[in-house]
């Protein structure tokens, strides 16, 4: 498999931003706590207004540190999930396939995790590195007792439509029909999926390669695949 672009710049930037904020908030926590302790021990010998404000500031910085650390772990996990997909495809597909990662289209917000192009068509992959019990009924996703923020089905549908517009422009010019399939890929071994009548294809990571290889082969020539890769890259 030929990899065109590295991993998601969005996830990388978010992870760096939150780890930087976590470090800064922890330093400020230690600073506020140290100054407050110094005043109580060596100056006022009591807990006054200034010392109270110092403790409040310390608590706020500690909460900020924990929040940023949690967000960093989420984005780091997202990158690990995307890398797992990249490695799986790289080790299982030949050079007839091209993988574009972190696709950012002009005039569209956000990026697309992966677009895989090959003889059997075009695949738009949305990667989730979630763990625990996850329930899908049609287009509705939730965990026990709460809804999931950010609907994976709607997300992959939007991204698939974006890529379809690009591919359809190529179809019209060449008079051919190319499949564009949206897939949600769960990469975490601890994900416990309960899927009922999904409106998009939902797979675990170990199912991804067999699914792609089982699609109708040789729909596209090597030249057609290369042309579509250029269309997506320049979109």
């Amino acid at each position: 498999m030929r990899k065109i672009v590295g991993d998601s710049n969005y996830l990388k930037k978010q992870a760096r931003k939150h780890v930087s904020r976590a470090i800064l908030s922890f330093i400020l926590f230690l600073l506020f706590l140290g100054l407050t302790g110094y005043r109580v021990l060596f100056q006022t010998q009591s807990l006054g207004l200034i010392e109270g404000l110092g403790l409040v500031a310390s608590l706020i910085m500690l909460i900020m540190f924990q929040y940023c650390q949690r967000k960093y772990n989420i984005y780091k996990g997202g990158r690990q999930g995307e890398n797992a997909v990249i490695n799986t495809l790289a080790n299982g597909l030949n050079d007839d396939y091209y993988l574009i990662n972190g696709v950012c289209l002009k005039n569209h917000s956000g990026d697309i995790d992966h677009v895989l192009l090959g003889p059997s068509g075009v695949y738009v992959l949305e990667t989730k590195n979630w763990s625990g019990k996850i329930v899908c009924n049609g287009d509705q996703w939730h965990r026990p007792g709460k809804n999931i923020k950010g609907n994976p089905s709607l997300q992959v549908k939007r991204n698939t439509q974006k890529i379809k517009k690009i591919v359809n422009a190529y179809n019209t010019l060449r008079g051919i029909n190319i499949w564009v399939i949206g897939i949600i890929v769960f990469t975490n071994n601890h994900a416990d999926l309960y899927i009922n009548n999904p409106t998009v294809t939902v797979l675990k990571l170990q199912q991804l390669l067999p699914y792609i290889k089982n699609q109708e082969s040789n729909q596209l020539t090597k030249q057609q695949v290369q042309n579509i890769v250029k269309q997506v890259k320049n979109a």
Side-chain angles (χ1 to χ4, degrees):
M1 185 200 71
R2 306 184 189 190
K3 187 169 65 173
I4 309 300
V5 181
D7 57 357
S8 170
N9 286 326
Y10 173 77
L11 291 178
K12 186 185 298 184
K13 289 178 181 177
Q14 291 297 319
R16 287 177 177 174
K17 180 178 74 174
H18 283 91
V19 75
S20 298
R21 290 179 176 178
I23 293 171
L24 177 60
S25 57
F26 188 71
I27 291 172
L28 291 174
F29 160 73
L30 294 177
L31 178 62
F32 285 128
L33 188 63
L35 290 175
T36 301
Y38 176 82
R39 284 182 60 84
V40 172
L41 291 174
F42 300 106
Q43 293 184 351
T44 63
Q45 304 295 315
S46 64
L47 189 63
L49 177 60
I50 294 178
E51 291 75 28
L53 291 174
L55 288 177
V56 171
S58 300
L59 180 60
I60 292 173
M61 289 301 103
L62 181 59
I63 293 172
M64 181 64 71
F65 165 73
Q66 293 173 333
Y67 170 79
C68 292
Q69 186 181 46
R70 185 166 61 251
K71 295 292 284 186
Y72 166 73
N73 288 333
I74 290 172
Y75 289 114
K76 179 183 176 183
R79 289 193 66 199
Q80 289 173 339
E82 291 189 4
N83 287 335
V85 168
I86 293 170
N87 292 334
T88 296
L89 295 176
N91 292 329
L93 297 176
N94 59 33
D95 283 349
D96 290 337
Y97 285 86
Y98 292 78
L99 183 65
I100 309 178
N101 304 300
V103 180
C104 294
L105 303 177
K106 298 172 184 176
N107 303 319
H108 292 283
S109 59
D111 63 359
I112 301 172
D113 291 347
H114 316 279
V115 178
L116 177 69
L117 307 98
S120 59
V122 180
Y123 304 87
V124 179
L125 309 180
E126 179 66 31
T127 301
K128 298 299 180 187
N129 193 25
W130 297 349
S131 61
K133 184 176 180 180
I134 303 162
V135 180
C136 170
N137 290 304
D139 267 342
Q140 302 302 312
W141 292 79
H142 67 272
R143 295 179 184 272
K146 63 179 181 180
N147 291 328
I148 290 176
K149 183 179 179 181
N151 188 308
S153 295
L154 299 183
Q155 191 173 8
V156 76
K157 284 181 180 180
R158 285 194 299 267
N159 291 338
T160 302
Q161 286 302 316
K162 294 174 186 178
I163 299 300
K164 274 186 177 180
K165 288 181 179 179
I166 299 169
V167 174
N168 284 341
Y170 182 87
N171 290 349
T172 302
L173 291 174
R174 304 300 188 279
I176 59 176
N177 184 39
I178 301 172
W179 295 350
V180 181
I181 303 173
I183 305 174
I184 303 172
V185 185
F186 284 88
T187 59
N188 197 311
N189 290 330
H190 300 290
D192 191 11
L193 302 180
Y194 294 82
I195 309 299
N196 181 37
N197 295 323
T199 60
V200 296
T201 302
V202 181
L203 302 173
K204 283 200 168 185
L205 181 59
Q206 58 268 30
Q207 299 172 310
L208 181 59
L209 273 177
Y211 177 87
I212 292 170
K213 290 181 177 181
N214 284 339
Q215 303 304 308
E216 184 178 349
S217 62
N218 299 323
Q219 180 192 1
L220 301 173
T221 66
K222 288 185 178 181
Q223 187 60 53
Q224 287 172 332
V225 173
Q226 291 172 0
N227 290 339
I228 299 170
V229 168
K230 293 177 182 178
Q231 295 289 329
V232 174
K233 284 178 60 181
N234 296 329

